[in-house]
Amino acid sequence: MMAKRLPGTSRPLRLSRPPAVALVCLGLFLLCCAFVPRFATFGNIENVLRVASILCVVACGQAVVILLGGIEFSFGASAALASVVTVMALPVLGPVGGLATGGASVIAIGAVNGFLVGRLALPPVIVTLGTLMMASGAAAWLVGGLPIDAPPSAAFSWPARGRVLGVPVPILAALLACAALHLMLAHGRIGRLWYHVGANPVAARLAGLDVTRITTLGYAVAGAFCAVGAIILTSRVASGQPALAPNLPFETIAACAIGGLPLSGGRGRVSQVVFGVLTVAMLNNAVVLINLPVAWQLVLLGLAVLAAVGLQKDWAVLARLARRTDR
Amino acid sequence: MSASDDAPSDDTRDDLALVATGIAKVYGATCALRSARLALRRGRVHALLGENGAGKSTLVKILVGAVTPDAGHIALAGAPVAFGSVTQAIRAGIVPIYQHLSLFPELSIHENLSAFALAAGGGLWTGRRLVDPARARGWLKEVGLDVDLAAPLGSLSLGERQLVEVARALSLDCRVLVLDEPTAALNADEADRLFAVVRRLCASGTAALFISHRFDEIEALADEVTVLRDGRTVIDAAPIGRHSREELTHAMLGAGVEAAPARLSERAAPVLVGRGLAAGRHGRGSLDVIVHAGEIVGLAGLIGSGALSLAATLGGAQAGPGELSVGDASFMPGDRRRAAALGIAYVPADRHAEGLFGALSARRNASVSGLGRLARLGWLRARAEAQMVDPLLRRLKLHPALPEAEAATFSGGNQQKLLIARGLAVPGLKAMVLLEPTRGVDVAARGVIHDAIREAAASGVAVLVATSDLDELMVLAHRYLVVREGTLAAELPRSAPRAALLAALSGSAAA
């Protein structure tokens, strides 16, 4: 009987179990539909998805870093810097070139973070806080503290407002980002290596893996996800904003934590990130619709994160207890 | 030898400072202590011996109140005690001196000496008073330190800091001094000074428990010795000198089973060659090790001898002097990535910290070193992975036979099988370096792992096994290399008797 299960090559195709957060997400959706006025309208749902899509793209990057056992605080600041760089490059390089330059700056910051964490073994919290402050400062310095407007153009607003076959571009970008991350994590070599380094970096080194390179690449790929999010954000606000998305790192970390990714690394699936993002987006939307002050978004989000992490810990304890009584 | 020396089991004698009997402690599935006994007498230095995993550190933790035992009794000067915390134990007079110093380098010597008084102090403000400088100077004088009370502790050498720690013990009514490998960071002079202080303290009636791996120190300082093996006391408070080093080593390692004959393959070309290596941090780079194709070399050494460190160096896992080569290709010590690429498998000694990916599946644990071969254009072929690893897991009788279950859910023996499978799956396997391959592993898994190691050797792989388990050494190795105090002390053929191995391990003259 045991031997039959071992080959594994002829395993029947089965869908993997949905993550626990899917239930939470569904429950919140039903609650919102029932009790939040104007939530269950087509326009509002599309609006939630639009907001969620940007968050989702960036959260995919955050998930890579968390998988590696790290954490990324610099996303919001680098997105802000990207918007400033984009608008300043606009007159010279045009809309496409400008957005590409802005995106490249985010990837560069990600790669620097990766180098500092991977090669120099500095703690990720400190490294990404450092780059957060530098990017934030640089963005404010470049524009002299005030936002600068971008001249309106169709190409420039396409990432935020365009549609492909009726689907808004940001939602399409989120779907593509999820698909790309899923391929990397489930079937790609690099994703597998991220899991190994996140689960036990010492064992990864002794197994012969190049931990430095894997980590550096992970932060750079995370930067690439964030770059896509930054391009959409910049296009949406049509200006260079030195304080563009200060809560972006917190919201993406919250999405991953609510999704059930342990911050110790080594575990996580794309579906968890998606449901975590949807939960965060619905919470934010509900706060606005119920006419609570917007500041409550952060309060609620913080509560949700604490609850999620607390539950995770609880579940782990329960699982361990169950295992002990098994023996 | 007087009659009183021969009656260690009499717990009613009034010179007993501390008696612990029937101490047991279970951690999950591991039985750290089964039935340990330890009796310390006033005014005597008592050495505690035991190999790694014998339960020594657990027993010490129980004595100092850091761990609560599951069973057993502890009596301090005849009165039963049960400590809920280290603080309680310290107040009762059991004062630990740790190898990792528990002092505060940024604070002054005076403040450090006052630490216990401050901890005992009641309120937020009332407790902040330092101890009387005259008393503090008295303690320092007693341990032979002539230093300024106001100087920061950090300005002292490590040896002097350890003496400050002993002086601090004097601030309490210290009845039992627990010295856990106190000389690990000291040079010979500093160690001598510490010993003199301990002897002087004991002369005034304090009992001392002394944990060390160095026979020279034990013979120099201790009056009595207790040996733990497998969670039990096997030698109970014997006077030093009654047992030879060899007998003590034997007691620590166990009588074990008779060696089963292993198939000896013919000597072939050298495969894994190390030149100018060092064993341990302080060793000089002067050791040469050659492992031939098809050969299993047993690297033996007591804890602290440097045997594990030398093996880690040979596996490319630890940096150090010297150079290594496998076949025609050479690599530097510490370049584990290149070593793996050249076909050297490495099984680390600490399964959980250095080996296992607990969150990942059994199959992924086993395949990690062969991922390069499984990927095509960055795409992992799941079928190829299963084909590479699953036969190995079957051969090692992984139980339960669920390659997709998380590694953390398997028992210790089966987790170890995953590490062995990982080694066997290294592409182009030429050599295997295994550290303590069956530590904490049940008998069945041990047999399977030993068979797999022998099979690998029979197929021409050069194998080096470093182990402190003498039985394992004798059933596996074709020849033995004995490491002692950072040097290769002896090379013995397979036919060498157990006594010769024990003699070489402990460094006693009689072979």
Side-chain angles (χ1 to χ4, degrees), chain A residues 124-325:
Chain A
V125 175
I126 304 302
V127 166
T128 57
L129 267 181
T131 46
L132 175 159
M133 291 189 264
M134 287 194 289
S136 194
W141 169 70
L142 279 175
V143 295
L146 292 170
I148 43 171
D149 286 336
S153 83
F156 188 80
S157 60
W158 183 80
R161 311 201 188 282
R163 280 177 190 266
V164 175
L165 302 171
V167 183
V169 172
I171 295 177
L172 206 63
L175 291 175
L176 286 176
C178 289
L181 184 61
H182 174 73
L183 287 181
M184 278 192 270
L185 294 186
H187 302 288
R189 182 175 177 215
I190 185 63
R192 176 71 68 84
L193 297 176
W194 289 335
Y195 280 113
H196 278 294
V197 170
N200 189 341
V202 178
R205 183 184 86 83
L206 293 180
L209 304 186
D210 188 344
V211 175
T212 304
R213 212 177 69 94
I214 295 165
T215 308
T216 310
L217 200 58
Y219 278 78
V221 168
F225 279 114
C226 180
V228 175
I231 288 173
I232 299 173
L233 269 172
T234 305
S235 160
R236 196 175 73 171
V237 297
S239 57
Q241 301 264 7
L244 179 59
N247 291 333
L248 195 58
F250 307 117
E251 285 175 342
T252 51
I253 292 168
C256 291
I258 291 171
L261 266 63
L263 295 181
S264 48
R267 280 179 222 255
R269 287 184 285 157
V270 175
S271 55
Q272 293 178 306
V273 179
V274 172
F275 285 113
V277 163
L278 288 174
T279 307
V280 170
M282 277 193 287
L283 272 178
N284 283 348
N285 181 253
V287 166
V288 174
L289 292 184
I290 306 175
N291 276 328
L292 284 171
V294 178
W296 275 85
Q297 285 183 346
L298 268 185
V299 175
L300 272 183
L301 203 57
L303 274 176
V305 169
L306 292 182
V309 174
L311 278 176
Q312 254 180 43
K313 199 165 184 175
D314 228 35
W315 284 332
V317 169
L318 288 178
R320 217 174 304 136
L321 278 179
R323 222 174 293 145
R324 194 167 297 165
T325 47

